[in-house]
Amino acid sequence: MNIDLNGKVAIVTGAGKGIGREIAHTLAHEGVITIMLDLDGNLVADSAKEAAGKGLQAYPYECDVRNFSRIEAVVEDVRKRQGRIDILVNNAGVANGGPVDVLKEETWDLNMDINLKGTFLMCKAVAPVMKQQRAGRIINAASFAAIVPSYGSAAYASSKAAVHQFTRVLAGELGPWNITANCYSPGMIPTDMNHFADLPDDRQQRLLDTLTLRYWGKKEDVAHLICFLSSDYASYITGTMIDVSGG
Ligand code: NAD
């Protein structure tokens, strides 16, 4: 299968590190002009510099997905420079938690503001550009936590379950403009968000035993799914959540 993404323009949020960084670099490697957004300007500048050093087209922007005026300015700049936006990957996220009776209100708000509202604000800014093109792909980060309950994850899990339903509604609204909207649901992928591989051996084993494939996911596993969802092979897939969790 040859996934031809050459010359497409993508925005990836949370592209400074972790899964988002891998998604951005993989898309750029496939010939995509990749716009990398992150709250941490230095991190995303380094990441884009590394990609550019390999001859890839990657452009960093410091951008907090909670700040709509900044998002609008970035989207306008991208539209002016690149002429279009084919792919939007809403990957930026946080996973702060605690059991409900001690969960701080600000922790709840942080999860909702970044994971859910940030996704909404990015879509709000990019959808008009995609509608004008009568084409586009929106791909949002959900999580297996949206389906499987775990202790202390109420704020995070609720935000990700809401991203799933938001994506379904979005798909219905944008379908007439040939814009698809899907979300991906990673399982356990060692990153700075989730230090699974640093847990004591017995705890690691207990978690690994819950996975059908019995090994941790890799950031590339998610990046490959994003390439597929961005490609012509996925034209007829919309409004769905795809699991990339090792079962
Ligand atoms: P990470 O913490 O390694 O990276 C997250 C990135 O998002 C960072 O670069 C951070 O600076 C950026 N970010 C945070 N808040 C932001 C904001 N307000 N505006 C812009 N950028 C912001 O996390 P990760 O493990 O790579 O996770 C990426 C996505 O995948 C998240 O949405 C996460 O919820 C989801 N996910 C991850 C796992 C996993 O096992 N790692 C599992 C399920 C879902």
Side-chain angles (χ1 to χ4, degrees):
M1 187 157 89
N2 177 21
I3 291 189
D4 183 10
L5 298 175
N6 201 33
K8 292 196 182 291
V9 178
I11 295 180
V12 182
T13 70
K17 66 176 179 180
I19 294 170
R21 183 183 183 285
E22 188 68 31
I23 291 170
H25 281 244
T26 306
L27 287 172
H29 185 74
E30 292 296 326
V32 174
I33 299 160
T34 306
I35 314 303
M36 302 171 72
L37 270 55
D38 205 283
L39 182 63
D40 187 327
N42 293 328
L43 209 59
V44 78
D46 282 353
S47 182
K49 200 169 158 193
E50 189 192 323
K54 294 177 192 158
L56 308 178
Q57 294 198 71
Y59 303 98
Y61 289 80
E62 183 175 329
C63 179
D64 184 338
V65 297
R66 293 166 291 185
N67 181 341
F68 191 58
S69 56
R70 175 64 182 148
I71 292 171
E72 280 188 308
V74 170
V75 167
E76 182 51 20
D77 195 55
V78 173
R79 205 191 50 76
K80 271 199 197 133
R81 286 172 192 266
Q82 311 297 345
R84 53 188 298 112
I85 301 169
D86 300 294
I87 303 154
L88 168 64
V89 185
N90 285 306
N91 166 83
V94 289
N96 296 4
V100 171
D101 53 343
V102 295
L103 183 65
K104 290 199 176 105
E105 205 178 323
E106 54 264 36
T107 307
W108 175 272
D109 289 344
L110 186 74
N111 281 271
M112 291 297 167
D113 284 351
I114 296 178
N115 300 348
L116 179 59
K117 191 174 171 190
T119 299
F120 153 61
L121 293 178
M122 288 299 304
C123 292
K124 181 175 166 63
V126 171
V129 181
M130 290 184 168
K131 271 181 157 179
Q132 218 171 23
Q133 298 164 182
R134 299 195 76 83
R137 298 291 162 87
I138 297 177
I139 307 168
N140 297 330
S143 169
F144 77 128
I147 306 284
V148 182
S150 68
Y151 186 84
S153 72
Y156 178 70
S158 303
S159 72
K160 293 298 188 177
V163 166
H164 181 202
Q165 190 62 358
F166 170 79
T167 306
R168 289 161 55 116
V169 172
L170 189 70
E173 289 180 359
L174 298 180
W177 282 270
N178 189 32
I179 300 164
T180 65
N182 293 290
C183 47
Y184 54 100
S185 168
M188 295 187 240
I189 301 185
T191 62
D192 281 353
M193 178 181 282
N194 284 320
H195 295 270
F196 299 112
D198 300 335
L199 292 169
D201 285 352
D202 57 326
R203 281 205 61 202
Q204 278 201 46
Q205 199 51 55
R206 254 182 284 141
L207 283 173
L208 286 170
D209 285 343
T210 67
L211 299 179
T212 303
L213 289 177
R214 292 183 172 71
Y215 60 87
W216 305 125
K218 297 186 294 303
K219 291 172 276 198
E220 301 91 285
D221 296 324
V222 180
H224 294 158
L225 172 63
I226 304 303
C227 287
F228 169 70
L229 286 174
S230 302
S231 77
D232 288 349
Y233 289 104
S235 307
Y236 207 53
I237 299 173
T238 195
T240 195
M241 177 158 79
I242 301 186
D243 212 45
V244 53
S245 69

